[in-house]
Amino acid sequence: MFHMKNLCLIFLVFIPNVVYSAETSGSFLDKEKQNQANSGPSEVTHGHFNASADAKHLNDAVVGLGTDEDKIITVLTGRTNAQRQEIRKAYENLFHKDLIQDLKDDTSGNFEQVIVALMLEPHEFLANEVHRALYSILPKEATLAEILCTKSKNELHPIIHAYNKKHSTPVNPVSLRDDIEENIQESFRSFLKNIINEQTNLRADSGVNNDKQLIEQQLKSIPRDLDQCQPAENKVLFDMLSKESFEHIRNISALFEERNANYSRKMHDYVKDFCPEDMLTEAYLTVMYYASSPAEFYAHRLDGAMIGLGTNDHTLIRIIVGRSEIDIGQIKQVYKQLFNTTLEYSIEQETSGSYKKTLLKLIEK
């Protein structure tokens, strides 16, 4: 069914400091449910995949009177992103229409947002999220840190190029670097620009730098006093956290703790104590927390999106969709350990309707 869009939306936005299976009916849904019964949280059913058949099911769900939202949920959450791209191509070949546009026309609100997120390629979706964060009424700097500070070369490169391609025209070329320059202030801007600067190489995907002299410099760069955080005073720390692999940063953190075992303090504790409460510090901490444990980092981000007044649905969608094929199972385990409740229960309390069903389907075992 076509839903009229609301002409005015009021958003209650919460920015964190660091930041039951849906019941379905019908023979198609019952069969799909059975096919997916043993799928893990980061796995989806690969058997019985037929892009054309799925495209026809989705067309059935959106044409005519009424919209079969359960069918949409079952098809899209039961496929990998790569399979969803095949479905989109099959849909266009069969019906000469764009599947994403048809889904947008027949859905609304947060359900529309999560369905579109599922249909876009990961780098395209994240490029859109970066643009949204940059051009909100107030730039969502924590979102920019979450996306750009937790990516290495193989992930950053396609995000940067998807951003530049989508927002450029023949007469008005656009670059992510220029948009960061225009919208972000001070040292955080410099840090983000260094992260995405392809001329000086993007963050390494893996590996540890074995340069002993550099390692010693990096260990000494951890702040031990005030005024040791800004790039002008501590370029070694700035470059390490914006360019070195997460594996290397983990190694530096372990060496630092080993040398300071008597103090029982971690590397990030010194950054929190001696660096000012600004977005550069938050970016530094984002890199350190993510390098230490991606699952714990995202568990905290999810909790931050759901506690307090209102729900940060953009963050909820971005993390659950983005990690659904990577480590959502680990995130669920860590979430329960940290907050003494399940991620499923928190989503149950904070969301509703088909939007809730979709999120729960993406994280279910």
Side-chain angles (χ1 to χ4, degrees):
M1 176 183 291
F2 178 83
H3 296 276
M4 295 294 292
K5 310 288 185 188
N6 291 330
L7 296 179
C8 180
L9 296 175
I10 301 175
F11 291 92
L12 293 172
V13 179
F14 173 82
I15 302 179
N17 290 332
V18 179
V19 156
Y20 303 95
S21 299
E23 291 298 326
T24 55
S25 60
S27 59
F28 165 75
L29 299 177
D30 291 338
K31 289 177 182 177
E32 286 298 306
K33 227 175 150 183
Q34 182 62 41
N35 288 340
Q36 297 173 33
N38 297 318
S39 296
S42 298
E43 303 170 359
V44 292
T45 303
H46 293 269
H48 311 290
F49 172 63
N50 183 307
S52 295
D54 283 352
K56 291 175 183 177
H57 287 308
L58 290 171
N59 185 64
D60 290 342
V62 298
V63 298
L65 295 176
T67 302
D68 191 338
E69 294 183 346
D70 282 339
K71 184 176 285 190
I72 294 172
I73 295 168
T74 302
V75 172
L76 297 186
T77 61
R79 303 302 180 205
T80 64
N81 186 272
Q83 288 172 330
R84 290 192 288 270
Q85 303 315 311
E86 292 185 50
I87 295 168
R88 185 179 180 185
K89 292 176 183 177
Y91 191 94
E92 184 175 4
N93 290 335
L94 287 168
F95 306 108
H96 309 292
K97 296 186 294 180
D98 179 50
L99 175 56
I100 292 180
Q101 189 58 54
D102 278 3
L103 290 169
K104 289 175 68 173
D105 288 344
D106 265 51
T107 57
S108 62
N110 290 324
F111 181 52
E112 176 190 343
Q113 296 301 316
V114 71
I115 291 303
V116 172
L118 284 167
M119 285 305 307
L120 293 173
E121 293 186 73
H123 62 273
E124 185 181 6
F125 170 60
L126 290 178
N128 288 351
E129 286 290 281
V130 168
H131 189 268
R132 182 189 61 79
L134 283 169
Y135 286 95
S136 296
I137 296 175
L138 293 174
K140 304 295 187 294
E141 294 176 327
T143 297
L144 294 173
E146 177 204 304
I147 296 172
L148 298 178
C149 296
T150 62
K151 302 294 182 289
S152 55
K153 182 176 181 179
N154 282 343
E155 299 165 299
L156 272 174
H157 183 78
I159 292 171
I160 295 167
H161 286 267
Y163 185 101
N164 297 346
K165 181 179 179 180
K166 179 167 184 178
H167 301 291
S168 293
T169 66
V171 296
N172 183 32
V174 169
S175 76
L176 175 56
R177 181 181 175 85
D178 290 343
D179 285 356
I180 288 173
E181 178 73 37
E182 178 182 340
N183 291 282
I184 304 301
Q185 300 299 314
E186 301 175 344
S187 298
F188 181 48
R189 172 179 61 203
S190 298
F191 190 67
L192 291 182
K193 286 170 63 179
N194 205 40
I195 282 176
I196 66 166
N197 188 351
E198 295 179 281
Q199 294 181 346
T200 59
N201 295 322
L202 300 175
R203 186 189 304 279
D205 293 309
S206 61
V208 173
N209 192 327
N210 292 315
D211 185 329
K212 292 183 179 180
Q213 184 177 357
L214 177 62
I215 289 172
E216 289 300 321
Q217 291 174 355
Q218 291 173 340
L219 287 167
K220 290 177 182 179
S221 75
I222 307 306
R224 300 298 186 98
D225 202 347
L226 299 176
D227 302 323
Q228 293 183 348
C229 291
Q230 294 300 315
E233 294 96 24
N234 198 339
K235 191 172 185 300
V236 173
L237 180 68
F238 181 88
D239 286 342
M240 175 179 74
L241 295 178
S242 59
K243 292 298 186 182
E244 296 284 8
S245 73
F246 298 115
E247 182 181 357
H248 180 85
I249 294 169
R250 268 196 308 277
N251 185 57
I252 293 293
S253 181
L255 287 171
F256 184 85
E257 290 177 37
E258 182 181 319
R259 294 190 182 185
N260 295 272
N262 292 336
Y263 298 98
S264 300
R265 306 187 74 223
K266 297 181 182 295
M267 194 165 74
H268 63 253
D269 291 323
Y270 287 86
V271 172
K272 285 193 290 186
D273 286 350
F274 295 113
C275 295
E277 294 184 2
D278 59 15
M279 270 312 302
L280 178 63
T281 301
E282 291 300 320
Y284 281 1
L285 291 171
T286 293
V287 174
M288 291 178 175
Y289 290 144
Y290 179 83
S292 175
S293 171
E296 187 169 338
F297 170 76
Y298 285 117
H300 277 288
R301 288 288 292 167
L302 287 169
D303 180 64
M306 292 186 283
I307 63 172
L309 183 62
T311 301
N312 189 334
D313 293 294
H314 284 290
T315 297
L316 203 55
I317 292 168
R318 185 172 58 251
I319 295 174
I320 290 178
V321 171
R323 309 304 292 190
S324 62
E325 295 180 41
I326 303 172
D327 57 359
I328 196 65
Q330 295 175 39
I331 293 170
K332 286 171 59 178
Q333 292 173 8
V334 172
Y335 188 94
K336 187 173 183 179
Q337 293 167 1
L338 290 172
F339 307 112
N340 200 31
T341 189
T342 65
L343 181 56
E344 289 91 340
Y345 179 79
S346 295
I347 291 172
E348 282 275 4
Q349 300 305 304
E350 295 294 326
T351 63
S352 62
S354 293
Y355 171 48
K356 176 175 71 175
K357 289 181 181 180
T358 307
L359 295 180
L360 291 174
K361 198 73 177 174
L362 287 169
I363 69 171
E364 74 175 9
K365 288 188 176 181

